[in-house]
Amino acid sequence: REAGTNVGAYDIALGAGAKAANYAITFTADNNAFTITPKTVSLSASKIYDGTNDLTGAVTLSTGVGVETLTYTGAVANAATVADAQFISSITLTNGTNGELASNYHLPTLNVANAPTNILHRPITLSANAATKVYGEADPALSYGAEAANGSRGLVAGDVFAGAVTRAAGETVGAYAIERGSIANSNYAI
């Protein structure tokens, strides 16, 4: 066949052999009878929750062909939260850094089975704010502070926690721990 390794149609050529002279062969040389079709890449994504569905830098993409690699742009998950993100919903393949051609590959159907996404809980530390009361009076409002966003930790701008902190039981003079209580947000590992 005509030489080539990239996606496309190639001519099949008539071979030569010892008995070829015994036949009157009519052969169409310009036949595009051999076709190389694009290979489906495999992909998945994993990242720590950041409040967005952007998957830049979070996609693992494999061509399955030797050491060939591709790059990508525009990767997004179907949702931004830990509970709802299930698959890569959009991505564009681009040529690899070593000359690999994106046109030799195509994406699988983008769904949970073929392009799974895992958004992991974001670590955060919550710290109780100190509070005092005078013996016999009602408890003051209890509050807490959240670790500021820093890399892949801390509170993402605009996020809030449901619930309230509580304190250890007791009314006599002394120190009592302020506890997490019902504070929760399903996107965070508190």
Side-chain angles (χ1 to χ4, degrees), residues 88-103:
I88 300 167
S89 62
S90 179
I91 186 170
T92 301
L93 298 177
T94 57
N95 292 339
T97 56
N98 295 320
E100 296 85 1
L101 297 176
S103 60

Side-chain angles (χ1 to χ4, degrees), residues 122-128 144-148 153-155 161 188-190:
R122 185 178 184 90
I124 190 168
T125 299
L126 302 180
S127 302
Y144 63 93
E147 175 184 5
R153 293 188 55 87
L155 186 65
F161 289 87
Y188 291 86
I190 300 173

Side-chain angles (χ1 to χ4, degrees), residues 41-44 59-63 69-72 91 93 107:
V41 297
S42 63
L43 44 93
S44 63
V59 175
T60 300
L61 191 146
S62 174
T63 65
T69 60
L70 296 175
T71 56
Y72 66 89
I91 186 170
L93 298 177
L107 294 168

Side-chain angles (χ1 to χ4, degrees), residues 93-175:
L93 298 177
T94 57
N95 292 339
T97 56
N98 295 320
E100 296 85 1
L101 297 176
S103 60
N104 285 334
Y105 300 91
H106 67 84
L107 294 168
T109 300
L110 298 178
N111 59 27
V112 174
N114 298 321
T117 295
N118 186 18
I119 296 186
L120 307 169
H121 293 92
R122 185 178 184 90
I124 190 168
T125 299
L126 302 180
S127 302
N129 294 323
T132 60
K133 78 172 194 169
V134 174
Y135 175 77
E137 293 182 357
D139 284 354
L142 301 176
S143 62
Y144 63 93
E147 175 184 5
N150 182 9
S152 59
R153 293 188 55 87
L155 186 65
V156 172
D159 281 0
V160 295
F161 289 87
V165 292
T166 57
R167 74 168 181 88
E171 293 299 325
T172 59
V173 173

